[in-house]
Amino acid sequence: MVTLVGIVPMETAPEPLQSVGSLMPLSIVTQGLVHSALGGTLVSTTGTLLAILAWAAVSLVVTFAASRGARLARRSSHVSIVGAAPAAA
């Protein structure tokens, strides 16, 4: 789900998308860029940067958890094949 705040107005989006639109990364970055271009303060820029860093941290945790699960699943299937007794011919 992506919201294009600078390209498509949020008012034209469906109601569920409008309610979560301000939490999406592209919305946060767009609002931060617009605010900094219009002479925003350091406090408002810091809030935008912290929100982006929070998204990055959550994304990294989810990625590491998914890759660890895939790696463990692949390792367990490899061990069961390697450790199996040869079939009688």
Side-chain angles (χ1 to χ4, degrees):
M1 175 177 0
V2 175
T3 59
L4 303 174
V5 175
I7 299 170
V8 177
M10 281 298 296
E11 293 79 23
T12 62
E15 185 61 37
L17 185 58
Q18 287 181 13
S19 62
V20 297
S22 63
L23 302 175
M24 297 290 108
L26 186 58
S27 298
I28 295 169
V29 170
T30 303
Q31 290 170 356
L33 289 172
V34 167
H35 192 72
S36 65
L38 297 176
T41 63
L42 182 62
V43 174
S44 62
T45 306
T46 303
T48 300
L49 291 175
L50 289 175
I52 294 168
L53 287 174
W55 266 104
V58 168
S59 299
L60 284 173
V61 167
V62 169
T63 300
F64 287 147
S67 65
R68 178 179 166 87
R71 203 171 41 244
L72 290 176
R74 186 175 52 229
R75 186 180 302 157
S76 67
S77 67
H78 179 68
V79 169
S80 65
I81 293 172
V82 172

